[in-house]
Amino acid sequence: MGLANWRVRSYNCQIKPIIAIIISILLLRAVLSPSTSFAWFQQRISSYGATPITEPNLRATVRNDKFLEVPQIVWGLNNQKIALARGLLTARFLNRTLLMPSLSASLFYKEVELLQPMQFDKIFYLEKFNSICDGFVQVGQYSKLLNKTDPFEMQKGSGRKWTKERDLEQLKEVTNDNKLHDLELVRIVGKNPFLWHDHWPVRDYAEIFGCLALVNEIENDVVKVISKIREISIKAKKNTANTVPNPIVPYIAVHMRIEKDWMIHCKKWEQRTGMNQICSSKKEILDRVSHIMGINLPAVVYLAIADSLLEDDSVLKGWKTGLMPYEKKRLGVWEIYKKYPYLIRSAIDFEVCSRADIFVGNSFSTFSGLVVLSRTQRLLKSGFKDLCGNEDQLDIRFTSYAYNILGDKIGAPKVWMTDMADLSLQKISYGTNNISCDANMSIS
Ligand SMILES: Nc1nc2c(ncn2[C@@H]2O[C@H](COP(=O)(O)OP(=O)(O)OP(=O)(O)O)[C@@H](O)[C@H]2O)c(=O)[nH]1
Ligand SMILES: *[C@@H]1O[C@H](CO)[C@@H](O)[C@H](O)[C@H]1NC(C)=O
Ligand SMILES: *[C@@H]1O[C@H](CO)[C@@H](O)[C@H](O)[C@H]1NC(C)=O
Ligand SMILES: *[C@@H]1O[C@H](CO)[C@@H](O)[C@H](O)[C@H]1NC(C)=O
C-alpha cells in the first residue's frame, strides 16, 4: 500500500478501547514530536511532487573503489525493493558503488531482532545485476574494502522537519565536499532513510528493477510453479470439446488483497480520504475478473494471496464457470514455498504474477504496482506504444487490470499501465485511482 506500513498501523486498530485511549495519547504525542514514524508519514505525504534530480542522459561514473553503505532494509518485499533502489540511486548520485545491502526475510516490523537479515545476493543474482546495470548502478562486496580511511557517517534526519528538500540538500553538500571525495566509505545512518523521500523519476526505478534477477535456485522454483499452472491449463483444455492441436494455455494471476488487517486499514483509509475505490471485497474481485473480455475458457486463475488465507477455501468458491482458481496449496506447490521465508515466497509470487498472461491487482498495493511496472516495461520493449484508449486492439496477453477500479467496459476492471514518464514514484508507492495511461509514454 501506499501507506507502506499498513500492517503496523492497522494493528493499532484492533485493540480494545482502553488501550485505544492510551494509544491516542501516544499518537497525539507522536504528532507533536518530530521523531516518530507517524510524523514521518504525514510529512511523506506532503513532500512529493518536486522535480527529480537526474537527467536521463547524464551518466555518472560509478567508481568501483568508493562505496556507500546503507542501513538494514525493512518491510514488505516491494517496499524493500523501493528502498533498495533509493539506496542505489543515492550511491549513483555520489558516483559510488553500493555495498551489499541487507534485506529482511521476515515481515516483522517492530522487533528488529526478528527481521532475519538476508544479504542481497541470497535472493538476487549479483553478477547479473551488476552486468545489466553496468554504467548505471553497482552493488559491491565488503571484501573489496581496504579500510585505510575511516568512513564518513552521513546522518539522515527524520521526522517532520526532515523534508525532502533538506534530504536532497544534504546529498548535494556531500557531493560538493572535496574532502569526502577521496574517502573510501560513506556510511548512511538513520532510521529507515529510504522509505520516505523520493528524488527520482519512475524510469530510474524501472531501470534498476530491470536488473534484478532471482538467483538460480529461486528462479528454478518460479519456473516449476508456472509449469504446474500451465500443466493444469493444458489438461483442462484437453477435456473440453473444442480441442486445438497446439493449445495456447494462458493463465490469469490475481493479487487478491483481502487479508483482515488490510480490509480494516483500507476502510479507514477510504473514510479519511473520501475515496471509495481502495477496498474491494472478495465478491467484487470475482465479479470484475469474470467480466474481462476475450479470455479463452477454461482458464486457470492463480491466486496470489497471503499465507494466512491459504486455510480459507472460500477464496476458491464462487468463480464464474470456466475460471479455475488455484492457490499454492491446491496447485500442489506449497512444498516449494514452504521451505522459504516470507521475502522469497513473496518474490516467487511476484514473478508468477509478472509473467502471467493477464494480471489483475489492486492499484493501492505496492506489490501490484510493481508487478504492473514490470509488465509495462515488457509491453513497451515488445513495441507497444499506446495501450490505453486502444483496448480493442490489445492483445489479451500481458494486459494488466486494477480490480478496485471499474473500467470502460461494462462490469470489467480498468486496464492498468504504468506511466513511465512520471517524475516520482508516488503513484506506485502510495497507490492511486488514476491509472489511465499518458499519451507521451514511450520506450526507455
Ligand atoms: N501479505 C503477505 N503476503 C505473503 C505472505 N507470504 C507470502 N506472501 C505473498 O506476498 C504477496 C504480497 O506481498 P506483500 O508483502 O503483501 O506486499 P508488499 O510488497 O509489502 O506491498 P503491499 O502490497 O503494498 O503490501 C502476497 O500476494 C503473497 O502471495 C505473508 O505472510 N503475508
Ligand atoms: C575491511 O572491513 C570489512 C568489514 O568491515 C572486511 O570485510 C574487509 O575484508 C576488510 N578489508 C581488509 C583489507 O581487511
Ligand atoms: C560524478 O561523476 C560525474 C561525471 O564523471 C562528475 O561530473 C561529477 O562531478 C561526479 N560527482 C561526484 C560526487 O563525484
Ligand atoms: C492522471 O495521471 C495522468 C498521468 O499519469 C495525468 O496526466 C492526469 O492529469 C491525471 N489525472 C488526474 C485527474 O489526476
Side-chain angles (χ1 to χ4, degrees):
M1 112 176 165
L3 304 186
N5 51 347
W6 61 271
R7 290 188 193 86
V8 184
R9 296 164 46 77
S10 53
Y11 176 76
N12 288 345
C13 309
Q14 295 163 10
I15 314 176
K16 298 195 173 66
I18 185 79
I19 307 179
I21 294 170
I22 299 171
I23 301 253
S24 308
I25 295 168
L26 289 175
L27 270 180
L28 194 65
R29 277 189 47 193
V31 178
L32 302 173
S33 129
S35 63
T36 64
S37 56
F38 186 79
W40 268 351
F41 145 66
Q42 294 276 313
Q43 162 217 346
R44 198 183 162 194
I45 295 284
S46 63
S47 62
Y48 273 112
T51 39
I53 48 179
T54 44
E55 286 165 30
N57 299 334
L58 191 86
R59 289 274 168 181
T61 36
V62 178
R63 293 171 297 172
N64 60 12
D65 59 344
K66 305 287 177 223
F67 301 91
L68 180 77
E69 187 182 62
V70 297
Q72 178 73 29
I73 291 171
V74 298
W75 289 3
L77 168 72
N78 291 286
N79 287 299
Q80 291 195 43
K81 285 204 287 206
I82 291 170
L84 167 70
R86 288 188 183 143
L88 283 157
L89 291 168
T90 303
R92 170 177 145 83
F93 193 68
L94 306 176
N95 296 354
R96 286 170 179 266
T97 292
L98 182 68
L99 274 178
M100 178 90 72
S102 175
L103 304 173
S104 302
S106 99
L107 203 46
F108 282 97
Y109 288 91
K110 296 281 185 190
E111 301 96 312
V112 178
E113 62 285 1
L114 298 178
L115 284 172
Q116 296 179 31
M118 180 182 264
Q119 290 300 300
F120 171 90
D121 65 351
K122 294 286 177 298
I123 172 162
F124 298 115
Y125 199 140
L126 180 65
E127 291 74 21
K128 252 188 209 165
F129 181 89
N130 280 338
S131 114
I132 306 173
C133 259
D134 189 23
F136 190 61
V137 293
Q138 292 287 285
V139 171
Q141 309 264 18
Y142 274 82
S143 59
K144 294 276 158 53
L145 284 175
L146 300 175
N147 309 318
K148 288 202 177 119
T149 51
D150 285 334
F152 169 73
E153 292 212 340
M154 182 175 169
Q155 176 73 49
K156 285 277 190 180
S158 62
R160 202 189 277 280
K161 287 192 195 141
W162 190 256
T163 59
K164 176 185 167 121
E165 288 69 32
R166 279 189 67 179
D167 194 72
L168 183 55
E169 202 48 49
Q170 184 195 40
L171 279 182
K172 285 183 179 154
E173 272 165 28
V174 170
T175 57
N176 290 335
D177 189 333
N178 286 333
K179 286 196 297 295
L180 296 181
H181 201 79
D182 295 328
L183 285 185
E184 182 180 43
L185 179 61
V186 171
R187 173 182 292 149
I188 291 190
V189 288
K191 208 176 165 199
N192 304 333
F194 299 112
L195 286 176
W196 314 105
H197 298 300
D198 179 21
H199 307 298
W200 290 281
V202 166
R203 253 176 231 292
D204 283 0
Y205 287 96
E207 184 150 0
I208 290 174
F209 297 145
C211 304
L212 291 174
L214 294 170
V215 294
N216 287 339
E217 186 201 354
I218 306 175
E219 170 59 28
N220 290 342
D221 282 338
V222 169
V223 172
K224 272 189 217 156
V225 173
I226 295 177
S227 324
K228 190 81 193 177
I229 296 174
R230 299 222 189 259
E231 203 180 287
I232 288 169
S233 300
I234 290 172
K235 267 192 208 141
K237 299 267 178 207
K238 282 202 179 124
N239 291 339
T240 59
N242 52 348
T243 314
V244 273
N246 272 319
I248 309 158
V249 287
Y251 73 94
I252 304 162
V254 182
H255 177 220
M256 250 179 134
R257 168 119 301 166
I258 50 169
E259 301 98 286
K260 213 181 200 166
D261 53 349
W262 160 257
M263 292 314 274
I264 292 170
H265 170 72
C266 73
K267 288 266 155 49
K268 295 206 172 232
W269 193 1
E270 284 188 346
Q271 278 166 15
R272 197 174 57 237
T273 57
M275 282 194 272
N276 60 0
Q277 287 179 309
I278 301 174
C279 312
S280 283
S281 63
K282 198 190 79 185
K283 186 175 169 300
E284 184 172 72
I285 299 172
L286 264 57
D287 191 57
R288 296 260 161 93
V289 175
S290 74
H291 281 89
I292 296 175
M293 304 288 287
I295 300 177
N296 204 350
L297 300 177
V300 170
V301 181
Y302 176 74
L303 305 178
I305 50 173
D307 302 352
S308 57
L309 292 172
L310 287 178
E311 301 304 330
D312 171 14
D313 57 355
S314 76
V315 293
L316 297 172
K317 299 200 176 108
W319 292 83
K320 176 172 111 173
T321 314
L323 289 179
M324 308 186 310
Y326 283 85
E327 30 69 325
K328 302 168 184 61
K329 283 213 165 135
R330 186 169 181 212
L331 198 58
V333 295
W334 179 237
E335 292 302 311
I336 295 178
Y337 283 88
K338 214 172 69 182
K339 60 182 193 240
Y340 291 125
Y342 155 77
L343 190 71
I344 295 174
R345 289 180 192 176
S346 187
I348 297 176
D349 262 6
F350 186 91
E351 288 306 316
V352 175
C353 290
S354 175
R355 298 176 201 182
D357 301 271
I358 295 174
F359 171 72
V360 196
N362 185 312
S363 69
F364 286 87
S365 152
T366 325
F367 181 93
S368 293
L370 289 188
V371 165
V372 172
L373 174 62
S374 78
R375 295 168 65 85
T376 303
Q377 284 274 85
R378 203 170 46 218
L379 269 175
L380 293 176
K381 279 197 185 118
S382 71
F384 248 95
K385 288 205 174 62
D386 186 15
L387 183 85
C388 296
N390 287 314
E391 275 184 47
D392 294 331
Q393 295 152 37
L394 190 64
D395 183 347
I396 193 77
R397 292 191 315 156
F398 300 142
T399 314
S400 310
Y401 299 87
Y403 57 63
N404 57 312
I405 303 172
L406 193 59
D408 306 329
K409 300 254 160 51
I410 294 160
K414 198 166 174 70
V415 171
W416 181 7
M417 210 172 165
T418 309
D419 176 8
M420 297 301 294
D422 210 334
L423 294 180
S424 86
L425 204 67
Q426 177 176 22
K427 282 182 175 174
I428 291 166
S429 57
Y430 281 98
T432 176
N433 51 16
N434 176 14
I435 56 167
S436 58
C437 321
D438 209 41
N440 67 22
M441 208 168 42
S442 58
I443 304 162
S444 64

